[in-house]
Amino acid sequence: GGEARRLTTGLAWDSDPVYSRDGSRVYFTSDRGGNENIHVMARDGTGLVPLTTEEEHRFTDPVPAPEDGWFLARKRLTDTRSIGVQELWLMHESGGKGVQITTLDAHPHAGEAAFSPDGSAIWFSTRAGRFEYDQNVHQGTWQLARFDRVLGETTTVTSLGGGAVRPTPSPDGRSVALVSRDRTSTVLSIMDVATRSLRRLTNDLDHDQMEGFELRGAYPRIDWTPDG
């Protein structure tokens, strides 16, 4: 409870905040260095430092990894079009190039990543091809994919006509919450990981952004309570 307290100040655009696994720090995206990069600070706002210093491309949407010091980030590149494409990279706080998780040939627009509870897999949303203004989201433009960190293999998990975004694994790893489209409604459903069966919870969500560029996610982050 109590009043909200500002943690960052200045002209920079700070976004995508997420707590570290132990709750002691906050990862976030900021353009305070002249370009969007991943930063981290103590949960009281002190000790703010950049973790990436990319000048040409952009790193956004940090996700703490189960291994201490590692985090996922979404790397946005612009090549033939200003709209850009996106890759997922596993980075370490000490620096270095990082480990590329997705490739542009297979997944030109990967994002909204989440680790499985045991850390063995990375779930993410992926768009079929690059952005086009006339894409029909009711033809399954967006789907969910799963990267197996043990085998190094990526599998497309869903094939929904209304698409699927924002995969969020349950604490026990048996289910994944997801957001999809049913005509004009944005739907929240639960998918059984073993059987791939879906259970709809509600079709009363705010409208998703599947038609858009999806530079900040097709839907805001959702989460489970610790007891599922």
Side-chain angles (χ1 to χ4, degrees), residues 28-220:
F28 65 102
T29 302
S30 178
D31 64 358
R32 62 187 55 236
N35 188 33
E36 284 190 313
N37 276 290
I38 306 302
H39 294 65
V40 69
M41 61 184 171
R43 65 182 180 186
D44 63 0
T46 61
L48 191 157
V49 294
L51 298 180
T52 62
T53 55
E54 178 65 47
E55 296 181 357
E56 180 180 1
H57 308 300
R58 298 180 182 180
F59 277 112
T60 62
D61 200 15
V63 182
E67 299 81 16
D68 188 47
W70 290 88
F71 63 95
L72 266 178
R74 185 164 52 175
K75 183 178 182 179
R76 181 186 172 213
L77 311 91
T78 53
D79 45 16
T80 60
R81 302 175 64 188
S82 61
I83 293 175
V85 288
Q86 298 183 154
E87 302 168 337
L88 292 177
W89 283 74
L90 188 62
M91 317 285 291
H92 195 271
E93 294 184 18
S94 63
K97 181 180 179 180
V99 180
Q100 186 172 356
I101 301 300
T102 64
T103 59
L104 296 181
D105 56 343
H107 301 281
H109 203 105
E112 301 181 325
F115 286 92
S116 62
D118 63 1
S120 66
I122 298 171
W123 291 82
F124 63 94
S125 60
T126 178
R127 178 163 53 201
R130 299 192 177 204
F131 173 82
E132 299 293 342
Y133 284 95
D134 61 351
Q135 281 181 322
N136 184 352
V137 298
H138 300 286
Q139 295 177 343
T141 301
W142 288 95
Q143 300 297 342
L144 303 187
R146 180 182 182 275
F147 174 74
D148 190 310
R149 300 181 68 194
V150 178
L151 301 177
E153 299 175 351
T154 300
T155 304
T156 300
V157 177
T158 61
S159 57
L160 302 178
V165 294
R166 190 51 75 180
T168 307
S170 62
D172 62 9
R174 297 178 180 177
S175 304
V176 171
L178 60 90
V179 174
S180 61
R181 183 77 67 83
D182 182 2
R183 287 165 285 189
T184 60
S185 298
T186 295
V187 179
L188 175 66
S189 298
I190 303 296
M191 179 180 69
D192 184 282
V193 172
T195 64
R196 302 291 195 263
S197 61
L198 287 176
R199 178 166 57 92
R200 179 178 294 196
L201 298 185
T202 179
N203 62 349
D204 195 31
L205 297 186
D206 289 339
H207 192 67
D208 59 82
Q209 298 296 313
M210 286 193 233
E211 288 99 343
F213 299 159
E214 203 279 299
L215 301 179
R216 316 297 297 192
Y219 203 81

